[in-house]
Structure formats: structure tokens, C-alpha cells
Amino acid sequence: MSEKQKKATAYWKENVRYLFILLTIWFLVSYGAGILFKETLDNFKIGGFKLGFWFAQQGAIYVFVILIFVYVRLMNKLDKKYGYTD
């Protein structure tokens, strides 16, 4: 395997690791907080609404948008690390 292929493989493995971590966070927030842990979270309030309801309606969307920005930042760092910058 050439050096270029090794670099590309390492880049892809790190990218997939980032994706797995971020998608796990998204799943835990959207499915976990909005459905599985709703009853427990409803004991707390945010903005006058029960926290479980808030996560199901608003929080998961906010977290998803934040994760997009985190992914962009991580990928920019990864591109620089492996020399794939413009």
C-alpha cells in the first residue's frame, strides 16, 4: 500500500470515528431525551415547559445544528492534519 493510500485510510477511519461519536450524541439527545428519558426529564422545567417535552420539540433540533458546526470544525482540523486543505 502506498503512502498516499495509508494516509487516505487513516483519514477515513478518523472521519468515521467522528461521525459515530456525533451520531451517537444526536441519537441520545433526540431518542433518549425525547422518548426514553422523557418521564425523568419532565421533573425539570426550562422556559416553563417540561424538559422532556422541550428536548422532543426544540432541544434535539438545537443539538443537531450544534453538531453540524462541531463536525465542520473537526473536519477542517482533520483536513489540515492530513494535508487536504484547499
Side-chain angles (χ1 to χ4, degrees), residues 23-85:
L23 287 174
T24 300
I25 292 169
W26 178 62
F27 174 79
L28 290 173
V29 169
S30 62
Y31 187 73
I35 297 171
L36 294 179
F37 307 116
K38 181 188 175 299
E39 298 301 321
T40 304
L41 291 173
D42 279 347
N43 293 323
F44 305 98
K45 290 191 176 202
I46 185 168
F49 297 100
K50 293 179 179 179
L51 190 57
F53 173 79
W54 184 85
F55 265 110
Q57 300 302 314
Q58 300 290 328
I61 296 168
Y62 291 147
V63 170
F64 183 65
V65 171
I66 290 167
L67 289 177
I68 291 171
F69 287 105
V70 168
Y71 180 71
V72 168
R73 187 160 192 238
L74 288 171
M75 290 310 297
N76 285 335
K77 285 183 179 182
L78 193 64
D79 288 347
K80 287 178 185 175
K81 178 179 176 181
Y82 288 97
Y84 293 125
T85 57

